[in-house]
Amino acid sequence: MSVRKELYNALASKLEQVGIKTVDLYKGQLSGANEDYPTNFPAGYISISNIKWEDMTMGAKEGNAFVKIYLFFNKGGDTFIGAADKEETLKILDTQEDVIEEIEGIEGNLFTPLSQTDEDDQTERYKRPTYIITFETLAYKRIKKLGYVLN
């Protein structure tokens, strides 16, 4: 199994456990022309965005991997003092924290415990409550064909 597949499966399982209704690999589903993508909210999209690999010994590679979780919510209500739907709307922030708590520290056979490194509010860009949460981990793989000739 590839490290990306192992990461995706582990993250998808955790997102489902905290009540994320749509879980998928991130492919720009709610960007621009794709805004009408069939989505149940809250939605969590997983992007294993970057792995910087380094050669180790015996065909092994170790890489610093960054994973982004895109959390999309249905257009929220109001949060001003006295708003009728304030508590319901503020659940968006609770869900974001629940996701972080559930994912922080998970590990697999091919990656070390995930550690949150960033969170970014992208509400203005996507025209709906949207947060991107970034985690970092060390990833491992072994190259089957070493690519050199033994003496």
Side-chain angles (χ1 to χ4, degrees), residues 1-146:
M1 177 183 302
S2 75
V3 68
R4 288 177 184 272
K5 189 172 182 180
E6 185 182 20
L7 275 164
Y8 174 80
N9 287 335
L11 293 167
S13 173
K14 294 296 185 181
L15 290 173
E16 289 171 0
Q17 287 176 21
V18 295
I20 302 300
K21 294 179 181 171
T22 299
V23 178
D24 199 356
L25 279 173
Y26 183 64
K27 302 176 287 288
Q29 287 89 330
L30 297 174
S31 302
N34 295 327
E35 282 183 353
D36 295 326
Y37 187 83
T39 301
N40 292 315
F41 295 100
Y45 296 101
I46 301 165
S47 172
I48 298 119
S49 61
N50 185 332
I51 304 176
K52 183 175 170 81
W53 294 106
E54 290 187 30
D55 290 328
M56 305 306 277
T57 59
M58 303 299 293
K61 289 194 175 267
E62 178 180 282
N64 200 27
F66 292 91
V67 177
K68 293 183 179 187
I69 306 297
Y70 289 72
L71 289 178
F72 291 93
F73 297 88
N74 207 2
K75 295 184 178 174
D78 293 314
T79 55
F80 61 82
I81 295 173
D85 57 352
K86 180 178 179 179
E87 289 307 313
E88 187 64 30
T89 303
L90 286 175
K91 285 183 182 177
I92 290 169
L93 302 178
D94 293 336
T95 299
Q96 179 184 358
E97 284 303 314
D98 291 347
V99 166
I100 293 166
E101 286 290 324
E102 195 65 31
I103 291 175
E104 181 77 25
I106 66 168
E107 62 186 307
N109 293 323
L110 301 175
F111 63 93
T112 62
L114 286 153
S115 177
Q116 182 188 7
T117 60
D118 192 29
E119 58 186 79
D120 187 16
D121 183 340
Q122 290 287 311
T123 299
E124 191 171 331
R125 175 180 176 192
Y126 291 98
K127 309 295 186 239
R128 68 176 60 251
T130 304
Y131 301 91
I132 301 172
I133 306 164
T134 305
F135 295 87
E136 185 174 8
T137 184
L138 282 178
Y140 302 97
K141 69 178 177 178
R142 183 170 304 279
I143 303 301
K144 293 177 184 163
K145 296 181 181 181
L146 296 177

